[in-house]
Amino acid sequence: MPVLAENPITNDTTRSRDPKELLNAVTPHLRHLTVNVLDSGLTVWDREVALLLRDEVMVRDLAERILGNAVMYVVASMEHPEVHLGVGKVVDIGVHQVILDTPVYFALCDLYNEGRYKHHAPFIQRRDDGTVTDTAAFLRPIGFAPDEELWARDGADCSPCDSKVPDSH
């Protein structure tokens, strides 16, 4: 059974958090392979979208939707390690993109996980415990607007991530 926090936000339930802004905010925290990451002249957001378009997704709009929801999940899992969160197959494409671009992922960890590396150690089997639907519901009160279509697509078929292990998602 997924464990959700009773009230993930105190004093501010109306804030709105833009995943594009959150991802671009890591730029000053980039410390590794900055030539690879920054010399294209693209923002971090546009770089990750371009990588998704190169490897996984054929349409920019969908790549941006996937990336935005992946950023929501990654940031939420870092800011709320006590909550059992997970994504479905579609959003997981974006999660893996962010993690594979290690200079960007390290910068995310610096900024949103107090400098601690957040491991990604999935189980082999996918879970069907409703964690995806619960995660989308958790994102709303912490200021995110999850893409209902992407989260509903795999609502019961969660990625095999394990957020119960310390420093993992």
Side-chain angles (χ1 to χ4, degrees):
M1 177 60 88
V3 176
L4 294 178
E6 287 292 322
N7 185 6
I9 294 182
T10 57
N11 301 328
D12 185 9
T13 57
T14 60
R15 68 180 174 162
S16 177
R17 301 173 78 190
D18 181 358
K20 185 175 183 177
E21 290 176 10
L22 293 172
L23 188 57
N24 283 334
V26 306
T27 302
H29 298 269
L30 288 163
R31 293 177 182 30
H32 307 281
L33 301 172
T34 55
V35 170
N36 299 39
V37 178
L38 299 176
D39 278 5
S40 66
L42 298 174
T43 64
V44 175
W45 174 267
D46 287 332
R47 172 185 166 76
E48 298 309 309
V49 169
L51 289 168
L52 278 170
L53 288 168
R54 182 192 75 185
D55 296 336
E56 297 285 345
V57 184
M58 296 178 147
V59 181
R60 183 175 181 92
D61 176 66
L62 182 57
E64 289 183 339
R65 290 169 59 200
I66 289 170
L67 180 60
N69 283 268
V71 169
M72 290 177 209
Y73 163 74
V74 169
V75 170
S77 71
M78 290 178 179
E79 292 178 345
H80 299 278
E82 76 285 0
V83 181
H84 189 71
L85 302 174
V87 297
K89 293 176 186 178
V90 177
V91 175
D92 207 25
I93 293 167
V95 172
H96 289 161
Q97 174 52 56
V98 170
I99 291 171
L100 287 173
D101 198 355
T102 57
V104 171
Y105 187 62
F106 281 25
L108 273 163
C109 291
D110 282 347
L111 187 57
Y112 300 109
N113 201 40
E114 299 176 356
R116 294 184 315 268
Y117 183 75
K118 181 100 168 157
H119 293 280
H120 182 64
F123 291 117
I124 302 299
Q125 296 296 320
R126 292 192 178 274
R127 299 185 320 263
D128 61 354
D129 60 3
T131 300
V132 174
T133 304
D134 291 343
T135 299
F138 179 79
L139 293 173
R140 288 183 204 98
I142 62 169
F144 292 116
D147 185 312
E148 300 301 329
E149 183 179 22
L150 296 182
W151 290 88
R153 162 77 170 67
D154 299 309
D157 191 19
C158 186
S159 68
C161 299
D162 182 14
S163 64
K164 294 178 196 170
V165 176
D167 297 325
S168 179
H169 64 86

